[in-house]
Amino acid sequence: MHPGGMVVVEKLEPEVGPGELLVAVEAIGVGGVDAVIRRGTLGTSVFAPGHVPGSEVAGRVVAVGDAVPASWLGQRVWAFTGVGGGYA
């Protein structure tokens, strides 16, 4: 994937599972791994076409799953997503 290969697509809002939060993302971090993915130098064997980059997000909690206290709703949070998805 490289900058010219990135496209904006519509995705369904994720469902919140038990023990999970849904964050309305207001900002993303672009780290070194994200830059390498976007340059296309990491290789498609690791990140196949359709991969959504972004491992750091900040925003507000808009939904909570079972076993998560409702007091999380509306809270501002920062999260590390792991391998991607933050650009969504």
Side-chain angles (χ1 to χ4, degrees):
M1 180 186 310
H2 56 82
M6 294 187 71
V7 296
V8 176
V9 297
E10 292 291 324
K11 292 201 158 259
L12 296 175
E13 184 172 297
E15 293 188 24
V16 182
E20 296 179 337
L21 304 170
L22 180 61
V23 177
V25 175
E26 298 171 356
I28 61 167
V30 180
V33 172
D34 297 314
V36 172
I37 292 169
R38 293 203 51 194
R39 268 197 313 266
T41 55
L42 195 56
T44 57
S45 63
V46 178
F47 297 101
H51 173 75
V52 177
S55 58
E56 300 173 27
V57 299
R60 289 193 185 275
V61 176
V62 294
V64 296
D66 291 340
V68 178
S71 60
W72 277 99
L73 287 169
Q75 295 294 313
R76 295 183 62 89
V77 295
W78 173 89
F80 177 73
T81 67
V83 297
Y87 284 20

